[in-house]
Amino acid sequence: MAALVQPDVLETTIRGIVDSIVPPKGVRLRRIDFANDHSGDAAVYIVFAVSKRIPLTKARVRDLSSLSDTVADPIWQLPDGPIPYVRFEDVR
Protein backbone atom coordinates (compact mmCIF):
# COMPACT_ATOMS: atom_id res chain seq x y z
CA MET A 1 0.00 0.00 0.00
CA ALA A 2 1.39 3.38 -0.97
CA ALA A 3 2.02 5.82 1.83
CA LEU A 4 0.32 9.17 1.69
CA VAL A 5 2.78 11.93 0.92
CA GLN A 6 2.36 14.93 3.18
CA PRO A 7 3.81 18.22 2.01
CA ASP A 8 6.66 19.61 4.03
CA VAL A 9 5.65 22.55 6.26
CA LEU A 10 8.34 24.80 4.75
CA GLU A 11 7.26 23.87 1.22
CA THR A 12 3.64 24.65 2.07
CA THR A 13 4.67 28.01 3.57
CA ILE A 14 6.67 28.96 0.48
CA ARG A 15 3.86 27.94 -1.86
CA GLY A 16 1.50 30.10 0.21
CA ILE A 17 3.85 33.08 -0.07
CA VAL A 18 4.12 32.72 -3.85
CA ASP A 19 0.39 32.12 -4.31
CA SER A 20 -0.45 35.26 -2.33
CA ILE A 21 1.44 37.55 -4.73
CA VAL A 22 -0.39 38.94 -7.75
CA PRO A 23 2.03 39.08 -10.71
CA PRO A 24 1.97 41.87 -13.30
CA LYS A 25 -0.13 41.58 -16.44
CA GLY A 26 1.17 38.93 -18.82
CA VAL A 27 3.05 37.04 -16.11
CA ARG A 28 1.96 33.78 -14.51
CA LEU A 29 3.51 31.24 -12.19
CA ARG A 30 4.87 28.33 -14.20
CA ARG A 31 6.37 26.15 -11.46
CA ILE A 32 8.08 25.94 -8.09
CA ASP A 33 10.96 23.48 -7.78
CA PHE A 34 12.70 22.49 -4.57
CA ALA A 35 16.28 21.25 -5.04
CA ASN A 36 19.87 21.98 -4.13
CA ASP A 37 21.68 24.79 -5.90
CA HIS A 38 25.12 24.59 -7.52
CA SER A 39 26.86 24.79 -4.14
CA GLY A 40 24.71 22.10 -2.54
CA ASP A 41 22.59 24.46 -0.45
CA ALA A 42 18.82 24.00 -0.25
CA ALA A 43 17.13 26.17 -2.86
CA VAL A 44 13.73 26.95 -4.26
CA TYR A 45 13.39 27.91 -7.92
CA ILE A 46 10.30 29.99 -8.65
CA VAL A 47 9.72 30.21 -12.39
CA PHE A 48 7.33 32.69 -13.98
CA ALA A 49 6.17 32.61 -17.59
CA VAL A 50 6.29 36.03 -19.26
CA SER A 51 4.23 36.88 -22.32
CA LYS A 52 6.18 38.12 -25.34
CA ARG A 53 3.14 40.15 -26.39
CA ILE A 54 3.96 42.87 -23.87
CA PRO A 55 7.08 44.82 -24.92
CA LEU A 56 10.10 44.65 -22.64
CA THR A 57 10.34 48.31 -21.70
CA LYS A 58 12.15 49.86 -18.75
CA ALA A 59 8.86 49.94 -16.86
CA ARG A 60 8.30 46.25 -17.61
CA VAL A 61 11.78 45.37 -16.37
CA ARG A 62 11.07 47.33 -13.16
CA ASP A 63 7.80 45.41 -12.71
CA LEU A 64 9.57 42.06 -13.14
CA SER A 65 12.37 43.09 -10.80
CA SER A 66 9.82 44.19 -8.22
CA LEU A 67 8.01 40.86 -8.56
CA SER A 68 11.29 39.02 -8.02
CA ASP A 69 12.00 41.01 -4.84
CA THR A 70 8.42 40.63 -3.59
CA VAL A 71 8.65 36.85 -3.96
CA ALA A 72 12.20 36.36 -2.66
CA ASP A 73 12.22 38.73 0.34
CA PRO A 74 9.76 36.82 2.55
CA ILE A 75 11.49 33.53 1.70
CA TRP A 76 14.82 34.98 2.82
CA GLN A 77 13.16 35.81 6.16
CA LEU A 78 12.16 32.21 6.88
CA PRO A 79 14.29 30.49 9.51
CA ASP A 80 16.29 27.72 7.84
CA GLY A 81 14.57 28.53 4.55
CA PRO A 82 16.06 27.65 1.18
CA ILE A 83 17.80 30.17 -1.05
CA PRO A 84 15.19 31.65 -3.39
CA TYR A 85 15.93 31.90 -7.11
CA VAL A 86 13.30 33.74 -9.14
CA ARG A 87 13.47 33.10 -12.88
CA PHE A 88 11.53 34.25 -15.90
CA GLU A 89 10.83 32.29 -19.08
CA ASP A 90 9.19 33.30 -22.34
CA VAL A 91 5.72 31.91 -22.87
CA ARG A 92 5.84 29.47 -25.76
Side-chain angles (χ1 to χ4, degrees):
M1 183 170 182
L4 294 176
V5 177
Q6 299 214 354
D8 180 68
V9 173
L10 187 58
E11 182 177 330
T12 302
T13 301
I14 291 171
R15 287 186 187 280
I17 290 168
V18 175
D19 289 341
S20 71
I21 297 167
V22 178
K25 181 180 178 183
V27 178
R28 65 178 171 80
L29 179 63
R30 179 164 274 175
R31 67 181 177 278
I32 301 173
D33 297 322
F34 294 86
N36 291 332
D37 67 6
H38 62 279
S39 65
D41 292 326
V44 57
Y45 297 90
I46 301 122
V47 182
F48 289 95
V50 180
S51 174
K52 290 183 179 182
R53 292 181 182 170
I54 300 173
L56 192 59
T57 62
K58 285 183 181 182
R60 180 74 164 165
V61 171
R62 279 192 301 271
D63 288 345
L64 296 176
S65 179
S66 178
L67 173 62
S68 179
D69 292 343
T70 301
V71 170
D73 288 348
I75 297 172
W76 278 114
Q77 301 303 316
L78 296 173
D80 298 323
I83 298 171
Y85 293 93
V86 179
R87 302 219 169 125
F88 299 97
E89 296 178 352
D90 289 333
V91 173
R92 298 176 201 234

